[in-house]
Amino acid sequence: MPVFISHRKADTLIALTISLSFALEGVKNYIDELDEEIQRTDDITSLIMKRVNECSHMMVIVSGNTQGSWWVPFEIGVASRADRRITTYKSEDKITLPEFLKKWPILKNNIDLKKFIKLYKQDIAVPIMEGRTFTKAAYSISEAGVFHSELKRLIGQR
């Protein structure tokens, strides 16, 4: 399942760069700027919720621009309720993160991003068939908390 890239419009260049890094490594991802449907819908809230729920992981881009955003915290809340694997990409060292983001891994550079990609590739969702339909997915890493703990260990975050 794809990685949902949550960001403020002012950070589109950073988000697109991360999206390209993912794509070059074969990691499917979602970024709203590339979603034609979001450009023409009257119900952005429902569509964003649907897109978050279609993804297994979320990458939250945080910069000085993020403060004051309404959508980024909303997207994090949707992902959190759905028990998604949430990771922050802190694009500026001087940024102080809100307490709630410190719960999840915090990436600070391309080396950390590569470690995320490596762990993501190990955390593949495997569809489970019940009868003749696929009803849910099982992950190779048992739960989001295990993914978060392992990524924190890989990047040296306590």
Side-chain angles (χ1 to χ4, degrees):
M1 294 176 80
V3 177
F4 185 101
I5 301 175
S6 176
H7 65 287
R8 190 146 192 204
K9 293 282 185 217
D11 293 324
T12 297
L13 183 58
I14 297 167
L16 288 170
T17 301
I18 289 174
S19 176
L20 180 60
S21 295
F22 285 160
L24 291 172
E25 292 289 336
V27 174
K28 292 181 182 181
N29 62 89
Y30 171 83
I31 184 167
D32 59 1
E33 279 81 9
L34 304 178
D35 185 346
E36 292 178 16
E37 188 175 352
I38 206 164
Q39 307 305 324
R40 58 180 193 268
T41 186
D42 290 335
D43 189 2
I44 292 175
T45 302
S46 293
L47 186 58
I48 289 292
M49 291 172 67
K50 178 181 175 191
R51 296 296 191 248
V52 170
N53 286 317
E54 291 171 345
C55 294
S56 55
H57 297 67
M58 175 178 279
M59 178 70 57
V60 181
I61 310 300
V62 178
S63 76
N65 298 317
T66 309
Q67 189 172 0
S69 169
W70 291 87
W71 284 109
V72 171
F74 173 78
E75 293 163 352
I76 294 167
V78 172
S80 180
R81 279 193 59 97
D83 199 32
R84 298 299 185 245
R85 284 97 162 109
I86 301 171
T87 304
T88 298
Y89 186 89
K90 188 176 169 185
S91 67
E92 302 168 19
D93 284 334
K94 62 185 176 189
I95 299 297
T96 302
L97 294 175
E99 193 63 36
F100 71 92
L101 281 179
K102 295 176 184 176
K103 172 181 179 178
W104 300 296
I106 302 164
L107 309 182
K108 297 177 182 173
N109 53 47
N110 285 335
I111 294 169
D112 290 349
L113 191 61
K114 289 194 179 297
K115 291 175 183 176
F116 170 88
I117 291 168
K118 181 180 178 183
L119 190 60
Y120 169 88
K121 287 181 175 182
Q122 294 172 15
D123 191 28
I124 300 300
V126 179
I128 297 174
M129 184 173 254
E130 291 182 5
R132 293 181 179 218
T133 60
F134 292 105
T135 58
K136 55 186 172 182
Y139 294 91
S140 55
I141 297 175
S142 61
E143 60 184 40
V146 175
F147 179 88
H148 297 141
S149 295
E150 181 61 14
L151 184 54
K152 282 182 174 183
R153 186 189 67 74
L154 288 172
I155 63 174
Q157 180 184 342
R158 297 176 191 241

